[in-house]
Amino acid sequence: MAFSADELRVLRRALAIALHPMPLSDEDVQDCLRLAGSVDEAVGEAGRLRAFLLADLARYRNALPGSATGYLELLQDALAAGYDPRPDDLAALRALRGGSLAAALLERCQVLAERSVRARLAGRSAGAAAPGPRSRLLALPGGRAATREPERPSTPASPGKPQKPGDRPMPKPSEVFPPRRRPAPPPSEERAAG
């Protein structure tokens, strides 16, 4: 991703303001919002390009062995862009490993796939959540939002009545799943001693 000289000026100013909060002029806020929009657009375009590349890679993989040359070139491009090889890619490379390029790619993909699996397992064991999509930049510290007073919560409703349908208290498990009643034992028949 490349920034123009004007975008770099806005980025430097935004970073300086983030480090040393101060009130922003409306023009500065608009510049920051335009830069955030440009970055969002570039990220979206990169995502579309990546999706196109991966779809193209899948098409070539499905047309193997006739498309081996194109598939190997596309796989190299995808790996350079940070693609984690899938089991289908490893299977396709094993079938093509007679060629030197396919054999080298197979070794590289096996290393990358193993590294990816280890990272996912380490993330699960550490309880790390996968990062979500990047959200839009809504406000900068020290900007126009800093001059406004914080909103105060409305007066709470009476303790027995919820304010909104989503504010209901969580039911207890015994309310949701009432205890099971054990069936009464069958009446025992007394045997008369005869």
Side-chain angles (χ1 to χ4, degrees):
M1 180 183 299
F3 290 104
S4 70
D6 188 47
E7 289 173 333
L8 282 175
R9 179 184 55 78
V10 172
L11 186 59
R12 273 194 214 115
R13 199 170 350 131
L15 290 173
I17 291 168
L19 291 173
H20 305 288
M22 66 174 88
L24 289 174
S25 68
D26 286 344
E27 181 183 341
D28 289 340
V29 170
Q30 291 304 318
D31 287 345
C32 289
L33 290 174
R34 272 194 296 277
L35 179 61
S38 296
V39 169
D40 284 340
E41 186 178 325
V43 167
E45 186 61 32
R48 285 190 291 277
L49 183 61
R50 180 177 169 83
F52 176 77
L53 176 66
L54 295 181
D56 217 16
L57 182 65
R59 271 195 300 278
Y60 274 79
R61 185 175 53 234
N62 291 336
L64 285 173
S67 63
T69 305
Y71 171 71
L72 295 175
E73 288 174 11
L74 280 173
L75 183 59
Q76 283 179 316
D77 292 344
L79 292 173
Y83 172 69
D84 280 335
R86 298 196 168 103
D88 293 342
D89 295 311
L90 296 173
L93 288 171
R94 283 187 193 103
L96 298 172
R97 70 174 160 222
S100 60
L101 178 59
L105 275 174
L106 176 61
E107 285 181 35
R108 182 177 173 195
C109 286
Q110 285 174 331
V111 168
L112 290 172
E114 183 177 331
R115 206 177 292 159
S116 174
V117 168
R118 287 177 190 237
R120 278 184 289 196
L121 290 175
R124 282 187 191 156
S125 65
R134 189 176 87 76
S135 61
R136 288 190 47 78
L137 177 66
L138 298 177
L140 291 173
R144 286 188 298 182
T147 60
R148 296 184 195 141
E149 288 189 28
E151 293 182 19
R152 298 180 185 214
S154 60
T155 58
S158 62
K161 298 179 184 175
Q163 285 182 325
K164 300 176 193 169
D167 291 345
R168 294 190 320 215
M170 181 70 73
K172 297 178 188 173
S174 61
E175 294 171 349
V176 177
F177 304 105
R180 288 187 176 171
R181 302 201 190 280
R182 293 187 180 176
S188 60
E189 296 178 15
E190 293 183 26
R191 296 187 182 169

PDB file of all heavy atoms in Angstrom, residues 104-136:
ATOM      1  N   ALA A 104       9.937 -28.532  -5.198  1.00  0.00           N
ATOM      2  CA  ALA A 104      10.375 -27.434  -4.324  1.00  0.00           C
ATOM      3  C   ALA A 104       9.170 -26.768  -3.661  1.00  0.00           C
ATOM      4  O   ALA A 104       9.212 -26.438  -2.468  1.00  0.00           O
ATOM      5  CB  ALA A 104      11.176 -26.418  -5.138  1.00  0.00           C
ATOM      6  N   LEU A 105       8.111 -26.587  -4.433  1.00  0.00           N
ATOM      7  CA  LEU A 105       6.894 -25.988  -3.863  1.00  0.00           C
ATOM      8  C   LEU A 105       6.267 -26.896  -2.817  1.00  0.00           C
ATOM      9  O   LEU A 105       5.730 -26.414  -1.823  1.00  0.00           O
ATOM     10  CB  LEU A 105       5.877 -25.672  -4.959  1.00  0.00           C
ATOM     11  CG  LEU A 105       6.054 -24.342  -5.671  1.00  0.00           C
ATOM     12  CD1 LEU A 105       5.068 -24.215  -6.820  1.00  0.00           C
ATOM     13  CD2 LEU A 105       5.878 -23.190  -4.717  1.00  0.00           C
ATOM     14  N   LEU A 106       6.329 -28.204  -3.036  1.00  0.00           N
ATOM     15  CA  LEU A 106       5.775 -29.143  -2.064  1.00  0.00           C
ATOM     16  C   LEU A 106       6.515 -29.018  -0.734  1.00  0.00           C
ATOM     17  O   LEU A 106       5.883 -28.950   0.332  1.00  0.00           O
ATOM     18  CB  LEU A 106       5.852 -30.577  -2.586  1.00  0.00           C
ATOM     19  CG  LEU A 106       5.387 -31.667  -1.614  1.00  0.00           C
ATOM     20  CD1 LEU A 106       3.921 -31.466  -1.235  1.00  0.00           C
ATOM     21  CD2 LEU A 106       5.596 -33.043  -2.212  1.00  0.00           C
ATOM     22  N   GLU A 107       7.844 -28.954  -0.776  1.00  0.00           N
ATOM     23  CA  GLU A 107       8.612 -28.798   0.469  1.00  0.00           C
ATOM     24  C   GLU A 107       8.243 -27.493   1.169  1.00  0.00           C
ATOM     25  O   GLU A 107       8.027 -27.473   2.385  1.00  0.00           O
ATOM     26  CB  GLU A 107      10.115 -28.810   0.165  1.00  0.00           C
ATOM     27  CG  GLU A 107      10.669 -30.180  -0.148  1.00  0.00           C
ATOM     28  CD  GLU A 107      12.161 -30.122  -0.404  1.00  0.00           C
ATOM     29  OE1 GLU A 107      12.857 -29.306   0.248  1.00  0.00           O
ATOM     30  OE2 GLU A 107      12.634 -30.888  -1.257  1.00  0.00           O
ATOM     31  N   ARG A 108       8.169 -26.413   0.386  1.00  0.00           N
ATOM     32  CA  ARG A 108       7.830 -25.105   0.967  1.00  0.00           C
ATOM     33  C   ARG A 108       6.430 -25.116   1.575  1.00  0.00           C
ATOM     34  O   ARG A 108       6.201 -24.611   2.677  1.00  0.00           O
ATOM     35  CB  ARG A 108       7.932 -24.039  -0.121  1.00  0.00           C
ATOM     36  CG  ARG A 108       7.649 -22.649   0.357  1.00  0.00           C
ATOM     37  CD  ARG A 108       7.849 -21.661  -0.760  1.00  0.00           C
ATOM     38  NE  ARG A 108       7.421 -20.339  -0.367  1.00  0.00           N
ATOM     39  CZ  ARG A 108       7.209 -19.356  -1.201  1.00  0.00           C
ATOM     40  NH1 ARG A 108       7.392 -19.541  -2.498  1.00  0.00           N
ATOM     41  NH2 ARG A 108       6.809 -18.185  -0.763  1.00  0.00           N
ATOM     42  N   CYS A 109       5.468 -25.717   0.860  1.00  0.00           N
ATOM     43  CA  CYS A 109       4.086 -25.754   1.342  1.00  0.00           C
ATOM     44  C   CYS A 109       3.944 -26.622   2.588  1.00  0.00           C
ATOM     45  O   CYS A 109       3.162 -26.303   3.481  1.00  0.00           O
ATOM     46  CB  CYS A 109       3.142 -26.242   0.242  1.00  0.00           C
ATOM     47  SG  CYS A 109       2.868 -25.013  -1.036  1.00  0.00           S
ATOM     48  N   GLN A 110       4.699 -27.707   2.654  1.00  0.00           N
ATOM     49  CA  GLN A 110       4.638 -28.556   3.844  1.00  0.00           C
ATOM     50  C   GLN A 110       5.137 -27.799   5.068  1.00  0.00           C
ATOM     51  O   GLN A 110       4.544 -27.889   6.145  1.00  0.00           O
ATOM     52  CB  GLN A 110       5.441 -29.835   3.627  1.00  0.00           C
ATOM     53  CG  GLN A 110       4.752 -30.825   2.728  1.00  0.00           C
ATOM     54  CD  GLN A 110       5.615 -32.033   2.404  1.00  0.00           C
ATOM     55  OE1 GLN A 110       6.847 -31.952   2.372  1.00  0.00           O
ATOM     56  NE2 GLN A 110       4.968 -33.156   2.146  1.00  0.00           N
ATOM     57  N   VAL A 111       6.198 -27.029   4.903  1.00  0.00           N
ATOM     58  CA  VAL A 111       6.728 -26.233   6.022  1.00  0.00           C
ATOM     59  C   VAL A 111       5.704 -25.185   6.441  1.00  0.00           C
ATOM     60  O   VAL A 111       5.424 -25.002   7.630  1.00  0.00           O
ATOM     61  CB  VAL A 111       8.075 -25.579   5.620  1.00  0.00           C
ATOM     62  CG1 VAL A 111       8.497 -24.536   6.642  1.00  0.00           C
ATOM     63  CG2 VAL A 111       9.149 -26.635   5.455  1.00  0.00           C
ATOM     64  N   LEU A 112       5.114 -24.486   5.449  1.00  0.00           N
ATOM     65  CA  LEU A 112       4.123 -23.447   5.757  1.00  0.00           C
ATOM     66  C   LEU A 112       2.874 -24.032   6.410  1.00  0.00           C
ATOM     67  O   LEU A 112       2.335 -23.448   7.353  1.00  0.00           O
ATOM     68  CB  LEU A 112       3.737 -22.687   4.482  1.00  0.00           C
ATOM     69  CG  LEU A 112       4.814 -21.787   3.890  1.00  0.00           C
ATOM     70  CD1 LEU A 112       4.372 -21.246   2.539  1.00  0.00           C
ATOM     71  CD2 LEU A 112       5.146 -20.665   4.836  1.00  0.00           C
ATOM     72  N   ALA A 113       2.424 -25.180   5.908  1.00  0.00           N
ATOM     73  CA  ALA A 113       1.223 -25.803   6.467  1.00  0.00           C
ATOM     74  C   ALA A 113       1.473 -26.251   7.905  1.00  0.00           C
ATOM     75  O   ALA A 113       0.622 -26.066   8.782  1.00  0.00           O
ATOM     76  CB  ALA A 113       0.790 -26.984   5.607  1.00  0.00           C
ATOM     77  N   GLU A 114       2.640 -26.809   8.154  1.00  0.00           N
ATOM     78  CA  GLU A 114       2.968 -27.238   9.515  1.00  0.00           C
ATOM     79  C   GLU A 114       3.045 -26.035  10.450  1.00  0.00           C
ATOM     80  O   GLU A 114       2.530 -26.072  11.569  1.00  0.00           O
ATOM     81  CB  GLU A 114       4.311 -27.982   9.513  1.00  0.00           C
ATOM     82  CG  GLU A 114       4.686 -28.528  10.870  1.00  0.00           C
ATOM     83  CD  GLU A 114       5.983 -29.326  10.820  1.00  0.00           C
ATOM     84  OE1 GLU A 114       6.290 -29.917   9.771  1.00  0.00           O
ATOM     85  OE2 GLU A 114       6.688 -29.327  11.844  1.00  0.00           O
ATOM     86  N   ARG A 115       3.660 -24.949   9.990  1.00  0.00           N
ATOM     87  CA  ARG A 115       3.756 -23.731  10.796  1.00  0.00           C
ATOM     88  C   ARG A 115       2.364 -23.163  11.093  1.00  0.00           C
ATOM     89  O   ARG A 115       2.088 -22.731  12.205  1.00  0.00           O
ATOM     90  CB  ARG A 115       4.586 -22.701  10.034  1.00  0.00           C
ATOM     91  CG  ARG A 115       5.266 -21.709  10.918  1.00  0.00           C
ATOM     92  CD  ARG A 115       6.131 -20.759  10.134  1.00  0.00           C
ATOM     93  NE  ARG A 115       7.296 -21.425   9.551  1.00  0.00           N
ATOM     94  CZ  ARG A 115       7.969 -20.947   8.520  1.00  0.00           C
ATOM     95  NH1 ARG A 115       7.627 -19.821   7.955  1.00  0.00           N
ATOM     96  NH2 ARG A 115       9.010 -21.590   8.056  1.00  0.00           N
ATOM     97  N   SER A 116       1.502 -23.205  10.106  1.00  0.00           N
ATOM     98  CA  SER A 116       0.141 -22.680  10.283  1.00  0.00           C
ATOM     99  C   SER A 116      -0.645 -23.509  11.290  1.00  0.00           C
ATOM    100  O   SER A 116      -1.348 -22.970  12.150  1.00  0.00           O
ATOM    101  CB  SER A 116      -0.577 -22.670   8.931  1.00  0.00           C
ATOM    102  OG  SER A 116      -1.902 -22.301   9.070  1.00  0.00           O
ATOM    103  N   VAL A 117      -0.526 -24.825  11.209  1.00  0.00           N
ATOM    104  CA  VAL A 117      -1.231 -25.706  12.146  1.00  0.00           C
ATOM    105  C   VAL A 117      -0.716 -25.488  13.566  1.00  0.00           C
ATOM    106  O   VAL A 117      -1.494 -25.392  14.517  1.00  0.00           O
ATOM    107  CB  VAL A 117      -1.074 -27.186  11.720  1.00  0.00           C
ATOM    108  CG1 VAL A 117      -1.527 -28.128  12.812  1.00  0.00           C
ATOM    109  CG2 VAL A 117      -1.868 -27.444  10.450  1.00  0.00           C
ATOM    110  N   ARG A 118       0.608 -25.364  13.716  1.00  0.00           N
ATOM    111  CA  ARG A 118       1.172 -25.123  15.053  1.00  0.00           C
ATOM    112  C   ARG A 118       0.691 -23.797  15.626  1.00  0.00           C
ATOM    113  O   ARG A 118       0.397 -23.699  16.812  1.00  0.00           O
ATOM    114  CB  ARG A 118       2.690 -25.154  15.003  1.00  0.00           C
ATOM    115  CG  ARG A 118       3.244 -26.534  14.826  1.00  0.00           C
ATOM    116  CD  ARG A 118       4.754 -26.486  14.720  1.00  0.00           C
ATOM    117  NE  ARG A 118       5.256 -27.778  14.307  1.00  0.00           N
ATOM    118  CZ  ARG A 118       6.139 -28.468  14.990  1.00  0.00           C
ATOM    119  NH1 ARG A 118       6.616 -28.001  16.113  1.00  0.00           N
ATOM    120  NH2 ARG A 118       6.547 -29.633  14.548  1.00  0.00           N
ATOM    121  N   ALA A 119       0.612 -22.774  14.778  1.00  0.00           N
ATOM    122  CA  ALA A 119       0.151 -21.453  15.245  1.00  0.00           C
ATOM    123  C   ALA A 119      -1.309 -21.513  15.682  1.00  0.00           C
ATOM    124  O   ALA A 119      -1.686 -20.928  16.700  1.00  0.00           O
ATOM    125  CB  ALA A 119       0.334 -20.415  14.145  1.00  0.00           C
ATOM    126  N   ARG A 120      -2.136 -22.243  14.914  1.00  0.00           N
ATOM    127  CA  ARG A 120      -3.548 -22.371  15.297  1.00  0.00           C
ATOM    128  C   ARG A 120      -3.698 -23.145  16.596  1.00  0.00           C
ATOM    129  O   ARG A 120      -4.500 -22.787  17.455  1.00  0.00           O
ATOM    130  CB  ARG A 120      -4.349 -23.046  14.189  1.00  0.00           C
ATOM    131  CG  ARG A 120      -4.750 -22.083  13.101  1.00  0.00           C
ATOM    132  CD  ARG A 120      -5.611 -22.776  12.115  1.00  0.00           C
ATOM    133  NE  ARG A 120      -4.722 -23.686  11.397  1.00  0.00           N
ATOM    134  CZ  ARG A 120      -4.978 -24.272  10.267  1.00  0.00           C
ATOM    135  NH1 ARG A 120      -6.124 -24.124   9.700  1.00  0.00           N
ATOM    136  NH2 ARG A 120      -4.114 -25.053   9.675  1.00  0.00           N
ATOM    137  N   LEU A 121      -2.922 -24.211  16.764  1.00  0.00           N
ATOM    138  CA  LEU A 121      -2.994 -24.985  18.000  1.00  0.00           C
ATOM    139  C   LEU A 121      -2.501 -24.165  19.185  1.00  0.00           C
ATOM    140  O   LEU A 121      -3.073 -24.233  20.267  1.00  0.00           O
ATOM    141  CB  LEU A 121      -2.184 -26.276  17.872  1.00  0.00           C
ATOM    142  CG  LEU A 121      -2.774 -27.329  16.931  1.00  0.00           C
ATOM    143  CD1 LEU A 121      -1.815 -28.506  16.786  1.00  0.00           C
ATOM    144  CD2 LEU A 121      -4.120 -27.799  17.414  1.00  0.00           C
ATOM    145  N   ALA A 122      -1.456 -23.392  18.993  1.00  0.00           N
ATOM    146  CA  ALA A 122      -0.954 -22.543  20.072  1.00  0.00           C
ATOM    147  C   ALA A 122      -1.977 -21.471  20.421  1.00  0.00           C
ATOM    148  O   ALA A 122      -2.153 -21.137  21.592  1.00  0.00           O
ATOM    149  CB  ALA A 122       0.366 -21.900  19.657  1.00  0.00           C
ATOM    150  N   GLY A 123      -2.671 -20.938  19.421  1.00  0.00           N
ATOM    151  CA  GLY A 123      -3.701 -19.934  19.657  1.00  0.00           C
ATOM    152  C   GLY A 123      -4.868 -20.502  20.422  1.00  0.00           C
ATOM    153  O   GLY A 123      -5.434 -19.847  21.300  1.00  0.00           O
ATOM    154  N   ARG A 124      -5.245 -21.733  20.121  1.00  0.00           N
ATOM    155  CA  ARG A 124      -6.363 -22.362  20.834  1.00  0.00           C
ATOM    156  C   ARG A 124      -5.987 -22.652  22.277  1.00  0.00           C
ATOM    157  O   ARG A 124      -6.773 -22.451  23.192  1.00  0.00           O
ATOM    158  CB  ARG A 124      -6.760 -23.669  20.155  1.00  0.00           C
ATOM    159  CG  ARG A 124      -7.582 -23.463  18.928  1.00  0.00           C
ATOM    160  CD  ARG A 124      -8.066 -24.784  18.416  1.00  0.00           C
ATOM    161  NE  ARG A 124      -8.631 -24.612  17.094  1.00  0.00           N
ATOM    162  CZ  ARG A 124      -8.727 -25.546  16.189  1.00  0.00           C
ATOM    163  NH1 ARG A 124      -8.280 -26.758  16.463  1.00  0.00           N
ATOM    164  NH2 ARG A 124      -9.252 -25.315  15.026  1.00  0.00           N
ATOM    165  N   SER A 125      -4.760 -23.150  22.482  1.00  0.00           N
ATOM    166  CA  SER A 125      -4.372 -23.499  23.847  1.00  0.00           C
ATOM    167  C   SER A 125      -4.182 -22.250  24.699  1.00  0.00           C
ATOM    168  O   SER A 125      -4.396 -22.280  25.892  1.00  0.00           O
ATOM    169  CB  SER A 125      -3.100 -24.335  23.838  1.00  0.00           C
ATOM    170  OG  SER A 125      -2.012 -23.566  23.345  1.00  0.00           O
ATOM    171  N   ALA A 126      -3.793 -21.149  24.082  1.00  0.00           N
ATOM    172  CA  ALA A 126      -3.621 -19.909  24.838  1.00  0.00           C
ATOM    173  C   ALA A 126      -4.939 -19.178  25.006  1.00  0.00           C
ATOM    174  O   ALA A 126      -5.011 -18.187  25.704  1.00  0.00           O
ATOM    175  CB  ALA A 126      -2.616 -19.006  24.131  1.00  0.00           C
ATOM    176  N   GLY A 127      -5.977 -19.658  24.341  1.00  0.00           N
ATOM    177  CA  GLY A 127      -7.291 -19.025  24.443  1.00  0.00           C
ATOM    178  C   GLY A 127      -7.386 -17.757  23.637  1.00  0.00           C
ATOM    179  O   GLY A 127      -8.254 -16.927  23.869  1.00  0.00           O
ATOM    180  N   ALA A 128      -6.498 -17.591  22.676  1.00  0.00           N
ATOM    181  CA  ALA A 128      -6.515 -16.374  21.872  1.00  0.00           C
ATOM    182  C   ALA A 128      -7.655 -16.456  20.871  1.00  0.00           C
ATOM    183  O   ALA A 128      -7.871 -17.476  20.241  1.00  0.00           O
ATOM    184  CB  ALA A 128      -5.186 -16.219  21.137  1.00  0.00           C
ATOM    185  N   ALA A 129      -8.372 -15.374  20.750  1.00  0.00           N
ATOM    186  CA  ALA A 129      -9.449 -15.301  19.778  1.00  0.00           C
ATOM    187  C   ALA A 129      -8.888 -14.782  18.466  1.00  0.00           C
ATOM    188  O   ALA A 129      -7.957 -13.990  18.442  1.00  0.00           O
ATOM    189  CB  ALA A 129     -10.544 -14.361  20.282  1.00  0.00           C
ATOM    190  N   ALA A 130      -9.456 -15.248  17.375  1.00  0.00           N
ATOM    191  CA  ALA A 130      -9.034 -14.777  16.066  1.00  0.00           C
ATOM    192  C   ALA A 130      -9.428 -13.317  15.914  1.00  0.00           C
ATOM    193  O   ALA A 130     -10.497 -12.916  16.351  1.00  0.00           O
ATOM    194  CB  ALA A 130      -9.707 -15.618  14.981  1.00  0.00           C
ATOM    195  N   PRO A 131      -8.553 -12.516  15.318  1.00  0.00           N
ATOM    196  CA  PRO A 131      -8.901 -11.105  15.173  1.00  0.00           C
ATOM    197  C   PRO A 131     -10.071 -10.933  14.232  1.00  0.00           C
ATOM    198  O   PRO A 131     -10.179 -11.619  13.228  1.00  0.00           O
ATOM    199  CB  PRO A 131      -7.628 -10.494  14.598  1.00  0.00           C
ATOM    200  CG  PRO A 131      -6.885 -11.625  13.987  1.00  0.00           C
ATOM    201  CD  PRO A 131      -7.270 -12.846  14.746  1.00  0.00           C
ATOM    202  N   GLY A 132     -10.925 -10.016  14.560  1.00  0.00           N
ATOM    203  CA  GLY A 132     -12.086  -9.751  13.724  1.00  0.00           C
ATOM    204  C   GLY A 132     -11.727  -8.790  12.617  1.00  0.00           C
ATOM    205  O   GLY A 132     -10.600  -8.329  12.509  1.00  0.00           O
ATOM    206  N   PRO A 133     -12.660  -8.478  11.759  1.00  0.00           N
ATOM    207  CA  PRO A 133     -12.378  -7.543  10.687  1.00  0.00           C
ATOM    208  C   PRO A 133     -12.104  -6.158  11.249  1.00  0.00           C
ATOM    209  O   PRO A 133     -12.604  -5.790  12.304  1.00  0.00           O
ATOM    210  CB  PRO A 133     -13.660  -7.570   9.853  1.00  0.00           C
ATOM    211  CG  PRO A 133     -14.710  -8.082  10.764  1.00  0.00           C
ATOM    212  CD  PRO A 133     -14.018  -8.963  11.756  1.00  0.00           C
ATOM    213  N   ARG A 134     -11.310  -5.389  10.537  1.00  0.00           N
ATOM    214  CA  ARG A 134     -10.959  -4.049  10.982  1.00  0.00           C
ATOM    215  C   ARG A 134     -12.181  -3.164  10.911  1.00  0.00           C
ATOM    216  O   ARG A 134     -12.903  -3.151   9.930  1.00  0.00           O
ATOM    217  CB  ARG A 134      -9.864  -3.492  10.079  1.00  0.00           C
ATOM    218  CG  ARG A 134      -9.276  -2.208  10.593  1.00  0.00           C
ATOM    219  CD  ARG A 134      -8.148  -1.757   9.709  1.00  0.00           C
ATOM    220  NE  ARG A 134      -8.588  -0.950   8.607  1.00  0.00           N
ATOM    221  CZ  ARG A 134      -8.961   0.324   8.716  1.00  0.00           C
ATOM    222  NH1 ARG A 134      -8.979   0.899   9.879  1.00  0.00           N
ATOM    223  NH2 ARG A 134      -9.328   0.998   7.657  1.00  0.00           N
ATOM    224  N   SER A 135     -12.429  -2.422  11.977  1.00  0.00           N
ATOM    225  CA  SER A 135     -13.585  -1.532  11.996  1.00  0.00           C
ATOM    226  C   SER A 135     -13.176  -0.160  11.490  1.00  0.00           C
ATOM    227  O   SER A 135     -12.004   0.188  11.453  1.00  0.00           O
ATOM    228  CB  SER A 135     -14.153  -1.437  13.412  1.00  0.00           C
ATOM    229  OG  SER A 135     -13.176  -0.906  14.268  1.00  0.00           O
ATOM    230  N   ARG A 136     -14.149   0.625  11.099  1.00  0.00           N
ATOM    231  CA  ARG A 136     -13.890   1.967  10.599  1.00  0.00           C
ATOM    232  C   ARG A 136     -13.437   2.880  11.722  1.00  0.00           C
ATOM    233  O   ARG A 136     -13.836   2.728  12.865  1.00  0.00           O
ATOM    234  CB  ARG A 136     -15.153   2.534   9.955  1.00  0.00           C
ATOM    235  CG  ARG A 136     -15.452   1.856   8.632  1.00  0.00           C
ATOM    236  CD  ARG A 136     -16.536   2.560   7.866  1.00  0.00           C
ATOM    237  NE  ARG A 136     -16.437   3.992   7.754  1.00  0.00           N
ATOM    238  CZ  ARG A 136     -15.636   4.651   6.910  1.00  0.00           C
ATOM    239  NH1 ARG A 136     -14.827   3.969   6.138  1.00  0.00           N
ATOM    240  NH2 ARG A 136     -15.653   5.962   6.848  1.00  0.00           N
TER     241      ARG A 136
END
